[in-house]
Amino acid sequence: MADPIRVTGLFSAFDTESIIAQLTAAKQTAVTRLDRQASIATAKKTTLASVQSKFLALLTRSTSLMGSTSVSGKTTTVTGSGLTAAATPSSATGSFTVDITKLATKTSATGSALSAAVDAASPLGASNFGSVPTNGTFTVKTATGGTAVFSIGATAANTAATLDSSNFATAVTAGSFTIETATGGLQAFSVDPATQSLDDIMAAINGAGIGVTATVTNDANGRASNLTLTSTQGAITLGATGDTSNFLTATNLAGASGTDTKVSSSPFTQQMSLNEVIAEVNASGIGVTASIENDANGRANLLTFNSSQGDITLGSAGDTSNFLSATNVLASPGTTTRQATLGMARLSTSAKMADASWHGGAPTSGAQSFSINGTTINYDTATDSLSDVVARINASGANVTARYDTISDTIRFESSKQGSLGITVEDGVGGNLLSKLGLTSATQVLGANAEYKIDGGPTQYATSNTVTLASGVTLSMTALTEVDKPVTVTVGQDASSAVNAVKAFITAVNDIFTSIDAATKADPANPGILSGDASLRQLKSSIRSALSATGVNINGNFTRLDQIGIGFGAPGAALGTTNTLQLDETKFNAVLASDPSSVQAVLSSFKLGANLEPGETSSISGMSGTFTGALAGTYRITDNGAGMLTSVFTPRNGGASVSTSSPITVNGTNTTLIPGMTLQVGPLFQAGSQTITVGATSRSPLYALKELADSQAGVGGVIQKRQDTYTAVNEQLATRRTRTLDRIDKEMEVLRKKFAAMEQAQAKYQGIASSLAGMISQLQASNQ
């Protein structure tokens, strides 16, 4: 309620707001009563929701236990090594032996070496190395020639060649750059890489008259690869806003420190070539001659060291370059001759195929294709790398795994399937990638079939190491068995899983009982929220009846659940001991071991049949077939007499009805209205209706329980409808509460107006009384 404007005892001692507050409180009892009713309705709805959830859990457990193999699982025990085994519910129990004499293998094919030889004249980082040599040092020692430490780094600058043909690491661009000294002034220098050499640029700097001398100086490895500027006219400033050549950046002067002297922050020339490294080794004076020899594919690809001074020792703990391992010579065997164990070159699998260094040239350019086992793979050498193609093969349905072998520099195919199965490969028209990879002419190593014996019988063969025997047991063979020591496989009943499934079901049943008991408790001191609810208590009786009932047309030796150890205790048991569903585990395990098929039957038997009810009229003359629907219920068929049938199916579990229509022809049939059933149509159309009843012809005791749970907890079920009723009650109570509060507000507002009028009247009275008192006083004074 809104806070009112208060008028309290201005002219009287009467506390109007206190009276209004008391009146409001008195009328609020109606609101409190409505709130209490809403709270009770909410509590009842919540309790029913809890019961519904327990029924849904029971529905899940019932459905699971009614499964055709719910307690028919089998276990396998393997004695020995070389295989694992798995059984199915249909597998026969017992033991057998397995001898594995050969495992299945996969067919493979290996192509030819792919990479071109190492480019010994180019910088090491651009020479097609599989592992690029890094800058640093490496050590070579001979027995009598001594030890030499070699440096991998920048090569000496070629100062006489034009800039565009020199060995700069960064190409110099045409334009201009600026140098300024503190007292010598500023000078811009023009650069034309096609006509000028580094010598020309240095001569221009030295003759500019700004006090700067340019020279090429040695780096840390003793090679002339740094550009040094020295000033006699104070601090040097490099570069200006208008510079257009990258000369200062290309010589690594742009970031150089110093004031009067500026030196390249790092060498500006390219990394050494393999030929230059070999030349330094050969000139070292330790008696070693380095050379590049051909590999088995005729490529100049193997680094070789020969010594005239005794055994060669390669590497030391102080080495900082990976040169010896990158050239694959570090781990090479030998004494006076050490040769790389593998070729140095490797194809770049990440480069576009058109740009990679292929042995004998790149594959045919453009968009091409090839096929493996009949599956087409598309590629384009301008946009795809070899890695792209390998990934495309592996993601296809060619049943082949492809990979690049970095050791042999080849592509290897392996069949995804085991056994003696060939791999068919073919280049597409105009393409030659598979040929380039050496796979069209590769000799395939065919996979072998697995060979094994069961119980010492004849040898059996399989294209896979996983085989399923006629008994339903699947064997996964992993190794050969020892001679005369076969593996024993024992198949047994999976009693543990079966017991757990039954216990889970029993727990779900008893959870419902507990929930209903708590909700309907009749204790006067602490009653349940649904105390006195006879329909809820009746559910317990319905559940007990369903679980105690005899099944219908069950094949096997059991027709009741108590015959397999599931029941409410022995007859004559003490009062209170049979209130919950129980499992006699000893009895259950005994019958499961002796007669598992009968145990399964009493839990899961369920078959529906459809019957055409007699005495009704329609165009239907007969019905045949085997019903394949999942629910019992009634099909009500309406015939319009003009070739159209409409079927309305009403399930027995209380679910929603389903309507289906279908045309018919004279003397024809219909197979769409009733699942699995064929309706025969007579020679004349006849309007009317007919009923087809679907009921159980074989039924486990669990089916009645499942049907009960369906009707109570399913969509639109009884319990949900009861919850909906309480929802509607709460909505009505909320509306009444709002109206009651509005009415109280209006009544109190009327009272406030009346009290205000009373205050005004009393104020007038007091004024008149005061005036009269004054007049009396004046009269008395006049009389005196």
Side-chain angles (χ1 to χ4, degrees):
M1 293 185 294
D3 191 26
I5 299 174
R6 298 176 182 275
V7 181
T8 305
L10 295 177
F11 296 96
S12 71
F14 190 71
D15 189 349
T16 60
E17 282 304 321
S18 175
I19 296 300
I20 289 174
Q22 293 178 49
L23 289 171
T24 300
K27 291 181 176 296
Q28 283 279 7
T29 56
V31 176
T32 302
R33 186 167 55 253
L34 292 172
D35 288 343
R36 185 165 56 252
Q37 292 173 2
S39 177
I40 293 171
T42 298
K44 289 182 177 181
K45 177 183 176 182
T46 301
T47 299
L48 286 171
S50 176
V51 173
Q52 183 184 29
S53 69
K54 300 294 192 300
F55 264 102
L56 289 172
L58 175 60
L59 189 59
T60 299
R61 295 299 184 186
S62 300
T63 302
S64 175
L65 199 57
M66 289 176 65
S68 61
T69 59
S70 61
V71 294
S72 300
K74 301 297 194 301
T75 60
T76 56
T77 304
V78 177
T79 304
S81 60
L83 65 80
T84 59
T88 64
S90 61
S91 298
T93 57
S95 297
F96 58 90
T97 62
V98 182
D99 285 286
I100 305 170
T101 55
K102 183 181 286 188
L103 290 176
T105 58
K106 298 177 179 180
T107 297
S108 64
T110 302
S112 55
L114 305 179
S115 178
V118 164
D119 181 1
S122 295
L124 292 170
S127 298
N128 201 33
F129 270 88
S131 179
V132 179
T134 58
N135 289 340
T137 61
F138 69 92
T139 305
V140 179
K141 178 182 178 181
T142 55
T144 58
T147 301
V149 177
F150 302 96
S151 296
I152 302 294
T155 190
N158 187 353
T159 61
T162 56
L163 293 173
D164 60 3
S165 60
S166 64
N167 56 349
F168 272 75
T170 300
V172 178
T173 60
S176 63
F177 67 91
T178 305
I179 299 176
E180 182 181 6
T181 55
T183 58
L186 178 148
Q187 181 65 46
F189 300 93
S190 296
V191 179
D192 183 355
T195 61
Q196 292 177 296
S197 65
L198 182 57
D199 285 339
D200 294 333
I201 300 296
M202 290 192 294
I205 294 172
N206 296 341
I210 58 174
V212 173
T213 300
T215 57
V216 175
T217 56
N218 289 344
D219 60 18
N221 294 321
R223 302 188 186 99
S225 59
N226 288 329
L227 183 59
T228 299
L229 303 179
T230 305
S231 170
T232 59
Q233 296 293 324
I236 301 173
T237 300
L238 298 176
T241 303
D243 288 355
T244 55
S245 172
N246 70 340
F247 179 83
L248 295 174
T249 300
T251 55
N252 295 324
L253 282 170
S257 59
T259 52
D260 296 346
T261 299
K262 299 278 191 179
V263 182
S264 299
S265 57
S266 61
F268 61 83
T269 56
Q270 296 174 341
Q271 190 183 31
M272 298 171 66
S273 67
L274 182 57
N275 283 341
E276 288 171 320
V277 177
I278 289 173
E280 290 196 7
V281 171
N282 293 344
S284 65
I286 60 172
V288 171
T289 301
S291 61
I292 303 175
E293 306 297 331
N294 286 348
D295 61 15
N297 298 295
R299 302 173 299 178
N301 205 19
L302 301 173
L303 181 62
T304 303
F305 290 154
N306 287 298
S307 169
S308 61
Q309 296 293 324
D311 292 353
I312 302 172
T313 301
L314 299 175
S316 75
D319 289 352
T320 57
S321 171
N322 68 343
F323 177 82
L324 294 173
S325 58
T327 54
N328 299 315
V329 74
L330 181 62
S332 62
T335 52
T336 59
T337 296
R338 303 285 294 272
Q339 187 173 70
T341 55
L342 293 172
M344 296 175 283
R346 288 293 180 273
L347 188 76
S348 173
T349 57
S350 60
K352 304 308 177 188
M353 289 188 288
D355 302 328
S357 298
W358 294 80
H359 183 43
T364 304
S365 62
Q368 306 290 348
S369 68
F370 58 82
S371 65
I372 303 174
N373 291 333
T375 298
T376 299
I377 309 294
N378 297 308
Y379 66 93
D380 191 326
T381 58
T383 58
D384 291 323
S385 67
L386 188 57
S387 291
D388 294 333
V389 174
V390 167
R392 206 164 292 158
I393 293 171
N394 294 338
S396 73
N399 290 319
V400 164
T401 299
R403 68 179 178 87
Y404 173 69
D405 188 337
T406 57
I407 301 299
S408 62
D409 187 32
T410 59
I411 290 291
R412 177 181 172 85
F413 281 175
E414 184 177 74
S415 176
S416 300
K417 297 181 177 180
Q418 296 165 331
S420 183
L421 305 170
I423 302 172
T424 60
V425 295
E426 184 179 6
D427 275 315
V429 177
N432 69 340
L433 181 57
L434 290 184
S435 176
K436 197 71 183 175
L437 297 174
L439 288 165
T440 54
S441 58
T443 300
Q444 295 186 12
V445 179
L446 289 178
N449 292 326
E451 299 179 9
Y452 62 97
K453 297 178 181 179
I454 302 297
D455 287 334
T459 299
Q460 300 186 51
Y461 303 89
T463 58
S464 170
N465 288 319
T466 300
V467 296
T468 299
L469 306 181
S471 64
V473 177
T474 298
L475 305 178
S476 296
M477 298 177 283
T478 58
L480 304 184
T481 52
E482 296 182 46
V483 178
D484 297 328
K485 290 185 178 181
V487 174
T488 300
V489 178
T490 302
V491 179
Q493 196 73 35
D494 187 1
S496 177
S497 295
V499 167
N500 289 338
V502 172
K503 284 183 175 178
F505 166 75
I506 289 175
T507 297
V509 171
N510 291 332
D511 281 349
I512 289 181
F513 288 174
T514 300
S515 182
I516 291 175
D517 287 344
T520 61
K521 185 170 60 173
D523 183 356
N526 185 26
I529 191 67
L530 293 170
S531 177
D533 191 323
S535 64
L536 199 58
R537 288 200 303 271
Q538 180 59 39
L539 285 178
K540 287 185 62 177
S541 297
S542 299
I543 293 172
R544 290 178 67 100
S545 296
L547 292 173
S548 303
T550 300
V552 177
N553 294 332
I554 298 176
N555 292 325
N557 296 314
F558 309 124
T559 58
R560 299 191 315 275
L561 296 180
D562 61 356
Q563 292 174 320
I564 63 171
I566 302 173
F568 292 94
L575 185 65
T577 62
T578 61
N579 292 333
T580 58
L581 189 63
Q582 302 167 28
L583 173 65
D584 184 338
E585 196 167 331
T586 301
K587 183 176 183 179
F588 180 80
N589 282 330
V591 295
L592 184 65
S594 62
D595 194 357
S597 61
S598 292
V599 174
Q600 186 66 71
V602 77
L603 291 173
S604 58
S605 289
F606 178 63
K607 187 176 180 181
L608 291 172
N611 292 310
L612 183 64
E613 298 295 336
E616 296 181 294
T617 302
S618 74
S619 303
I620 301 173
S621 61
M623 183 176 71
S624 61
T626 301
F627 184 74
T628 58
L631 297 175
T634 301
Y635 287 90
R636 184 64 176 170
I637 298 178
T638 302
D639 189 336
N640 68 355
M644 180 62 70
L645 298 181
T646 299
S647 168
V648 177
F649 175 65
T650 303
R652 200 168 74 183
N653 65 6
S657 297
V658 179
S659 178
T660 307
S661 295
S662 178
I664 55 174
T665 59
V666 172
N667 292 322
T669 59
N670 177 276
T671 59
T672 61
L673 289 179
I674 315 296
M677 307 303 293
T678 298
L679 301 178
Q680 285 87 37
V681 180
L684 296 173
F685 287 145
Q686 186 172 1
S689 62
Q690 211 132 16
T691 302
I692 296 174
T693 303
V694 177
T697 57
S698 174
R699 185 179 67 185
S700 158
L702 291 181
Y703 178 75
L705 179 64
K706 179 179 180 295
E707 199 171 54
L708 174 65
D710 247 336
S711 65
Q712 291 293 324
V715 177
V718 175
I719 298 178
Q720 183 60 57
K721 289 177 180 177
R722 293 191 62 185
Q723 292 178 67
D724 294 342
T725 299
Y726 287 117
T727 299
V729 167
N730 271 341
E731 290 173 351
Q732 294 172 2
L733 291 172
T735 300
R736 290 174 59 189
R737 187 180 191 278
T738 300
R739 290 174 179 172
T740 300
L741 289 172
D742 287 345
R743 187 179 68 252
I744 293 172
D745 280 346
K746 290 176 181 177
E747 289 177 359
M748 295 305 105
E749 186 60 30
V750 170
L751 283 177
R752 285 192 178 85
K753 289 178 179 179
K754 290 181 177 181
F755 282 135
M758 184 183 72
E759 289 285 346
Q760 291 173 356
Q762 185 154 347
K764 289 180 181 180
Y765 162 76
Q766 288 179 352
I768 294 170
S770 178
S771 297
L772 289 173
M775 292 173 64
I776 293 171
S777 296
Q778 289 178 357
L779 287 172
Q780 289 176 346
S782 297
N783 291 336
Q784 291 176 357

